[in-house]
Amino acid sequence: MRRVVDILPAGTWEPARESDLFRADYEGRHRRRKVLELQSGARVLLDLPQARLLVAGDGLLLDDGGVARVAALDESLLEVTAPDGHGLLRLAWHLGNRHLPAMIEPTRILIRDDHVIADMVRGLGGTIAPLRAPFDPETGAYAGHGGGHDAHGHDPHAHGHHDHDHHDHGHGPHPHS
């Protein structure tokens, strides 16, 4: 079986080298070790030292010299907006406080569809609009390219150690305006 020998970050490799395509949603692109099925039907082994998020546009360098481009599939997302910049910053803080993967854009935040979080956003004065789009969230300050929440010792899907009803990381009181 062919193997992935390196991850080429998006924008650092020539598209002319593309020999195949790997398409997956967010969960399918957050991997450490897995046999990946490419668009051609070929199967390749991804075996990384630690889990990372494969970002749309990354290249999977194969042991035969080919490159399979990573593409993000559309998935059910929520577009979070607010009446003004301050409101959007407040919403970003609350979403980040829950360690949710999020795509941060100048006038909106995209998160995965979650009715509980949608209710929280509405309760904080934000607006929710469902949509289908590719999802490439931020990877984290300590992760570098393609790292992720687990780069500092956390499983991104198991948050049993967190109290999500009140979770302020010890930074003191925060205004609720």
Side-chain angles (χ1 to χ4, degrees):
M1 174 176 293
R2 294 180 355 192
R3 299 174 64 89
V4 175
V5 295
D6 199 4
I7 308 298
L8 308 173
T12 66
W13 59 280
E14 290 296 322
R17 292 184 65 190
E18 183 177 325
S19 61
D20 216 328
L21 182 67
F22 170 64
R23 297 173 47 92
D25 64 6
Y26 169 76
E27 291 292 329
R29 289 179 292 115
H30 191 255
R31 294 281 161 224
R32 187 193 79 74
R33 180 177 167 80
K34 182 172 176 141
V35 174
L36 306 177
E37 185 162 339
L38 305 181
Q39 181 174 307
S40 67
R43 296 166 53 93
V44 297
L45 177 62
L46 177 73
D47 189 8
L48 303 172
Q50 60 194 25
R52 69 175 282 173
L53 177 62
L54 302 172
V55 177
D58 282 351
L60 306 176
L61 179 60
L62 305 174
D63 56 8
D64 64 3
V67 177
R69 180 173 51 88
V70 174
L73 291 173
D74 285 355
E75 52 191 293
S76 295
L77 303 176
L78 298 176
E79 176 186 60
V80 176
T81 57
D84 57 34
H86 179 258
L88 192 61
L89 285 171
R90 282 188 67 236
L91 292 171
W93 186 89
H94 284 282
L95 294 169
N97 199 36
R98 281 147 186 85
H99 297 270
L100 295 175
M103 282 179 66
I104 310 296
E105 297 181 353
T107 60
R108 68 182 188 171
I109 301 167
L110 299 179
I111 60 173
R112 293 167 69 202
D113 193 355
D114 181 319
H115 72 278
V116 172
I117 298 300
D119 288 345
M120 177 199 76
V121 167
R122 287 186 199 100
L124 292 167
T127 303
I128 294 289
L131 63 103
R132 289 200 54 84
F135 187 55
D136 264 328
E138 297 290 318
T139 57
Y142 299 105
H145 176 80
H149 192 77
D150 61 326
H152 59 271
H154 289 77
D155 176 343
H157 308 292
H159 288 302
H161 64 287
H162 294 296
D163 173 5
H164 287 252
D165 293 326
H166 183 74
H167 185 77
D168 70 6
H169 291 285
H171 300 295
H174 50 278
H176 291 285
S177 54

